[in-house]
Amino acid sequence: MKYKVLYLTSNESIYSKKYEDQININSSKLELIRFSGSGLKNKYFNKIDTIFKFKKMIKNVDLVHINFLSPSYFLFNHFLKNTKLIVTFWGSDLYRTPNNSKKSKFLQKQIIKNANIITVVNKKMIPVFHETFGFEEIPIYETRFGLPIDFDQIDEIGQKEINEFKKEYNISNEQIIITLGYSADPKKNHEYMIEEIIRLSKRIKNIFIIIPLTYGSKVHREKIKTLCNNRFKENEINYKILEEFMSDNDVAKLRKATDIMINIQDTDAMSASMQESLYAGNIVINGSWLPYDELREAGAYYETIDELKEGILSNKIEYIIRNFDKLKEKTKVNKKIIYERSSWDNNIGSWIEVYNKLLEG
């Protein structure tokens, strides 16, 4: 017997596609049905059509799984009262959305009331969930995603591919490649990073900056492009902004070519890009406020800064560059740790187990 799972996600991430693929590969009992809503252009009729479509589909499924809790799913809340429901929090839907407005938190809370099981992608999120919403009576489990890029794709990138990457962007072998963040998200603190790179450039010249802005806010992307065009150019800093879609192979090349990756965003659960960078051997600088304690506890190596104040980040980068070989050696422990934590082989079982608890329990 196959169980039908109606799968909702408003986060059109590579995570979602990989997750669906892994469920299909690893479970013969589950059939995921992605709910895509309506395609009507008129907002009013689109909403009505979406509700009727959901009402029809929910009659023929055994379970509904919301992956990333958007307040917009309150649209379906009436129909969720009489079905089995799993709600999975990714990160910003717990750390940011409830704080955006009282309305957002209220709508999320009404949906959670109907949940049989809550899952989070990082165990540090469990106390945050209870502090934010309560609901201590609802079972809550950690279910991690594997990384979007297969590890062997990173492993297959050798010196030849790295040289090709550098040639494409006119990067010399003498330059240290520093990657700032991984998306066009205002919460990534690009403005601070850019000013700190300018400060660093007064002391160290052989740097090349890469800023990936391939997805996220278009408004923020244009803002950062303008800022770089002004500030980096006037300070003669070599840089490249990545705007176009990147294949998994392109991302793998970026990870292996990067020397230092900086991840100092406001909030996060457990960034895939940061983990890929650790796996690839980058020296990573994380904000100490980000909930990555389990990586430390597992023995992972990365550097941190404690605050976004003038000189803090530039001093940290200078320290890394001046001690590069010694610190690069310390990154060797990360590959095994990240694989054990974030490979699909080690994580898909926990998702299937949660489904089975609800469907067969």
Side-chain angles (χ1 to χ4, degrees):
M1 175 185 175
K2 265 202 170 185
Y3 294 104
K4 292 184 177 181
V5 177
L6 188 59
Y7 177 70
L8 286 74
T9 179
S10 59
N11 193 323
E12 289 302 321
S13 163
I14 186 65
Y15 273 128
S16 300
K17 184 66 173 70
K18 291 279 186 179
Y19 172 76
E20 292 170 38
D21 290 343
Q22 288 295 320
I23 289 291
N24 291 332
I25 291 168
N26 289 279
S27 177
S28 59
K29 291 183 178 181
L30 298 169
E31 179 185 353
L32 286 188
I33 304 167
R34 171 78 82 97
F35 182 75
S36 55
S38 175
L40 298 177
K41 292 183 179 179
N42 181 286
K43 289 184 179 179
Y44 177 74
F45 289 115
N46 182 295
K47 185 177 287 188
I48 293 173
D49 188 55
T50 299
I51 292 171
F52 276 105
K53 186 177 178 182
F54 186 84
K55 180 182 178 181
K56 183 178 179 181
M57 291 184 73
I58 200 171
K59 291 178 181 178
N60 300 310
V61 300
D62 300 289
L63 182 150
V64 175
H65 184 186
I66 295 176
N67 231 322
F68 190 90
L69 185 57
S70 167
S72 64
Y73 289 135
F74 182 75
L75 197 65
F76 312 128
N77 205 45
H78 174 74
F79 308 108
L80 297 174
K81 294 177 180 178
N82 298 309
T83 188
K84 293 179 178 179
L85 175 65
I86 296 173
V87 173
T88 295
F89 284 90
W90 285 31
S92 61
D93 50 344
L94 176 60
Y95 292 116
R96 298 182 193 174
T97 305
N99 298 318
N100 287 342
S101 69
K102 289 182 179 179
K103 179 182 177 183
S104 294
K105 181 176 179 179
F106 173 80
L107 295 178
Q108 285 182 306
K109 204 164 184 178
Q110 301 315 300
I111 299 167
I112 296 168
K113 284 181 181 178
N114 295 315
N116 300 91
I117 287 176
I118 301 294
T119 81
V120 293
V121 299
N122 181 333
K123 63 184 178 183
K124 296 290 182 182
M125 296 168 70
I126 294 175
V128 178
F129 170 81
H130 290 312
E131 288 166 15
T132 304
F133 296 111
F135 297 109
E136 283 80 3
E137 72 281 4
I138 301 178
I140 186 166
Y141 303 97
E142 180 186 29
T143 48
R144 300 172 182 166
F145 287 100
L147 295 189
I149 297 180
D150 294 333
F151 288 112
D152 56 5
Q153 287 184 285
I154 296 176
D155 293 338
E156 287 166 4
I157 303 298
Q159 195 58 50
K160 178 185 174 184
E161 289 78 13
I162 293 172
N163 290 340
E164 289 171 355
F165 179 91
K166 289 182 177 182
K167 185 177 179 181
E168 181 179 356
Y169 298 119
N170 297 313
I171 305 171
S172 75
N173 287 328
E174 288 71 40
Q175 288 176 310
I176 298 287
I177 299 177
I178 304 172
T179 297
L180 309 184
Y182 55 86
S183 72
D185 174 5
K187 302 291 187 180
K188 294 291 185 288
N189 293 307
H190 286 106
E191 294 93 335
Y192 172 76
M193 290 190 283
I194 289 166
E195 292 303 318
E196 286 297 292
I197 291 297
I198 293 168
R199 189 167 282 107
L200 173 73
S201 70
K202 309 298 182 187
R203 308 190 295 269
I204 294 180
K205 301 296 182 184
N206 61 325
I207 57 174
F208 190 99
I209 308 304
I210 296 179
I211 308 181
L213 302 176
T214 57
Y215 64 95
S217 165
K218 292 180 181 178
V219 173
H220 185 68
R221 181 186 300 127
E222 293 306 313
K223 178 182 178 181
I224 297 306
K225 283 169 61 179
T226 300
L227 183 60
C228 289
N229 285 337
N230 293 330
R231 300 291 285 131
F232 277 173
K233 285 185 178 177
E234 71 185 27
N235 286 278
E236 299 181 333
I237 295 170
N238 297 302
Y239 74 98
K240 175 66 180 178
I241 291 177
L242 303 178
E243 298 181 67
E244 304 300 322
F245 168 81
M246 297 176 71
S247 67
D248 285 357
N249 186 249
D250 292 333
V251 174
K253 286 181 183 178
L254 171 63
R255 301 287 183 252
K256 285 298 284 285
T258 295
D259 295 301
I260 301 170
M261 187 268 189
I262 302 173
N263 173 50
I264 53 171
Q265 58 190 313
D266 288 349
T267 62
D268 185 41
M270 186 64 73
S271 161
S273 298
M274 180 273 297
Q275 291 184 76
E276 290 164 0
S277 298
L278 288 174
Y279 183 87
N282 297 184
I283 298 175
V284 173
I285 302 174
N286 287 319
S288 63
W289 56 88
L290 297 171
Y292 302 158
D293 292 0
E294 62 187 88
L295 291 180
R296 284 282 200 218
E297 291 163 7
Y301 161 71
Y302 55 85
E303 295 289 333
T304 61
I305 61 170
D306 293 332
E307 53 188 347
L308 305 181
K309 285 191 175 178
E310 183 178 306
I312 299 289
L313 179 60
S314 55
N315 288 343
K316 176 65 72 171
I317 301 171
E318 182 179 7
Y319 160 75
I320 291 171
I321 292 174
R322 298 199 186 284
N323 296 276
F324 190 81
D325 291 341
K326 180 178 72 174
L327 299 180
K328 181 73 172 177
E329 188 69 21
K330 294 173 71 173
T331 68
K332 290 182 177 179
V333 299
N334 292 333
K335 186 172 182 177
K336 182 172 183 285
I337 291 167
I338 296 299
Y339 181 85
E340 289 178 350
R341 185 200 182 278
S342 295
S343 68
W344 276 112
D345 288 344
N346 289 343
N347 286 300
I348 194 62
S350 63
W351 292 96
I352 294 171
E353 184 180 343
V354 165
Y355 282 143
N356 289 340
K357 282 179 188 293
L358 208 48
L359 292 167
E360 299 177 352

